[in-house]
Amino acid sequence: MSTPQTSVPQAPQRPGGLSRRTTWLLVVVLLAVVIGAIGQLVKMPYAIFSPGPAQDTLGKTDNRDIIAISGTQTYPTSGRLDFTTVSLYGGPNYPVTFWQWLRAKTDSDSKIVPEEQVFPKGVTGKQVEQENTAEMVGSQEAAEVVGLRAAGKKVGETVTVGAIGKGRPAEGRLKVGDRIETINGGPATTLSAVHDRMDVVTPGSPVQIVVTRAGARQTVSVPTAKDPETGRAVIGISLAPKYTFPFKVAVNAGDVGGPSAGLMFSLAIYDKITPGPLTGGKEFAGTGTIDTEGTVGPIGGIQQKMVGARDDGVDYFLAPASNCGDVKGHVPDGLTVVKVGTFDEARTAIEKVAKGQTSGLPSCG
């Protein structure tokens, strides 16, 4: 006797139907799209510093010299004097998304800080842009003053009263726009001269200030107060220096804002108007603010700027002495960091390296 064969009938498939595998795949893709979109929409209360590009101040950007000088003799340069940048995310213009925050958490070259450390609460995007632009313009002017004076060029200078603090000793005595001529009988027509004159004043003693107001000179007696932080005598004004340059210097830095390229701008200006390449063909990068007296000031994001310099292939990095705490322990392999506190120190360090005298350069330890 034969055993009967049995079979299980298959469910008919509907024409054009999706298999279970395809359906699940579509669900996964849809979820990924939704999660990705949510990650882009969620804003994180942080600012992120990441390494940005470096630009050679002796070179060009958008087919224009970064430092363009006309009206005087210029000289050939060599090597590189790079100013370094950071890519900064956060604030009202570029709020940090969840995905940017997550990437930065896994990137050892990026730094995450609370947003309010960089962008004060309530600041608008336009205010941030205006501040960055103003700082860059001020930095360029200071660099021009320092570079030209270091090269022996005469830069005319006058100092006027830019602002007067409410309730401060100068209120009701000096006026915004007054041009300062002398303090206690001594010339005070430059920022450094004003500071020197005030440094020897005993807090509480009045000062006799000769100003030019509406074209006429007059003497004003102004009481002083003691600055609680420095102990110096102050009268409660902000100074607004004005400069007269012997020829034209234009800085074309693209869309870079802020004051941190001041040191490198001043070195490039000096290099272009003095005989012989300052660098001796060597490649340098650096950062730091500069004031008109040649003092180099601290900046933010120096660790990321050192990474950018290393990625650009330079060997030497000029770092503000006041940033040494952030430099220690974070110097990329292959990069030599030189500590500088003034324009003269930076220039001297470059000249030594150019001559092959690389031992004993000041460092952050």
Side-chain angles (χ1 to χ4, degrees):
M1 176 185 287
S2 61
T3 303
Q5 298 290 324
T6 60
S7 61
V8 178
Q10 298 293 320
Q13 290 192 1
R14 280 184 269 175
L18 297 176
S19 67
R20 180 176 296 178
R21 180 180 179 182
T22 303
T23 300
W24 276 110
L25 181 60
L26 288 175
V27 171
V28 170
V29 170
L30 182 60
L31 285 174
V33 170
V34 171
I35 292 172
I38 292 174
Q40 285 296 108
L41 293 173
V42 173
K43 308 305 179 185
M44 307 295 288
Y46 298 101
I48 298 173
F49 292 90
S50 296
Q55 296 188 55
D56 181 15
T57 57
L58 302 175
K60 295 178 180 290
T61 181
D62 296 329
N63 295 319
R64 297 190 302 168
D65 288 337
I66 290 181
I67 304 293
I69 299 174
S70 58
T72 191
Q73 183 176 2
T74 57
Y75 300 88
T77 61
S78 65
R80 296 176 65 94
L81 289 171
D82 288 3
F83 74 88
T84 48
T85 65
V86 294
S87 295
L88 175 60
Y89 303 94
N93 286 340
Y94 304 101
V96 173
T97 68
F98 172 79
W99 296 119
Q100 289 173 324
W101 173 82
L102 189 61
R103 282 195 297 269
K105 289 286 285 185
T106 60
D107 180 8
S108 60
D109 291 333
S110 294
K111 181 179 180 180
I112 303 173
V113 299
E115 190 174 49
E116 61 268 19
Q117 287 187 14
V118 183
F119 303 98
K121 284 187 176 181
V123 69
T124 66
K126 186 174 182 179
Q127 288 173 327
V128 171
E129 291 176 357
Q130 290 173 338
E131 182 179 358
N132 285 338
T133 300
E135 288 179 338
M136 173 58 85
V137 170
S139 171
Q140 293 172 2
E141 183 176 63
E144 188 175 350
V145 171
V146 172
L148 266 63
R149 286 179 173 170
K153 309 297 183 182
K154 183 175 177 57
V155 178
E157 181 178 358
T158 60
V159 180
T160 60
V161 177
I164 301 172
K166 187 173 179 59
R168 305 294 287 163
E171 186 178 21
R173 295 174 173 87
L174 295 178
K175 292 186 177 181
V176 171
D178 283 350
R179 189 174 72 226
I180 299 175
E181 307 293 352
T182 69
I183 296 177
N184 284 346
T189 57
T190 66
L191 277 179
S192 59
V194 171
H195 293 155
D196 289 343
R197 298 298 174 197
M198 291 300 298
D199 281 345
V200 298
V201 174
T202 302
S205 300
V207 290
Q208 305 302 311
I209 303 177
V210 175
V211 300
T212 297
R213 180 184 299 168
R217 283 198 174 201
Q218 58 182 280
T219 300
V220 183
S221 181
V222 183
T224 64
K226 184 176 181 178
D227 186 294
E229 295 183 359
T230 66
R232 297 173 63 249
V234 294
I235 59 177
I237 64 173
S238 297
L239 300 175
K242 296 181 180 179
Y243 301 98
T244 304
F245 298 102
F247 48 84
K248 183 174 177 58
V249 177
V251 179
N252 305 305
D255 59 357
V256 177
S260 65
L263 170 62
M264 303 311 292
F265 288 155
S266 64
L267 290 166
I269 292 169
Y270 172 84
D271 193 8
K272 286 197 166 191
I273 59 176
T274 53
L278 175 63
T279 68
K282 302 294 195 302
E283 297 185 344
F284 296 82
T287 189
T289 64
I290 195 86
D291 66 20
T292 54
E293 296 179 15
T295 302
V296 177
I299 52 83
I302 194 166
Q303 295 171 13
Q304 290 69 42
K305 290 183 176 183
M306 290 190 296
V307 172
R310 178 203 62 192
D311 292 346
D312 200 46
V314 302
D315 299 315
Y316 296 91
F317 186 89
L318 305 175
S322 43
N323 275 123
C324 274
D326 296 320
V327 169
K328 289 179 182 179
H330 298 281
V331 179
D333 292 339
L335 189 68
T336 298
V337 174
V338 182
K339 176 183 69 174
V340 297
T342 65
F343 171 89
D344 288 340
E345 290 177 2
R347 180 181 59 182
T348 298
I350 293 173
E351 290 171 340
K352 285 184 176 181
V353 173
K355 295 175 182 177
Q357 302 170 1
T358 57
S359 61
L361 293 172
S363 70
C364 287

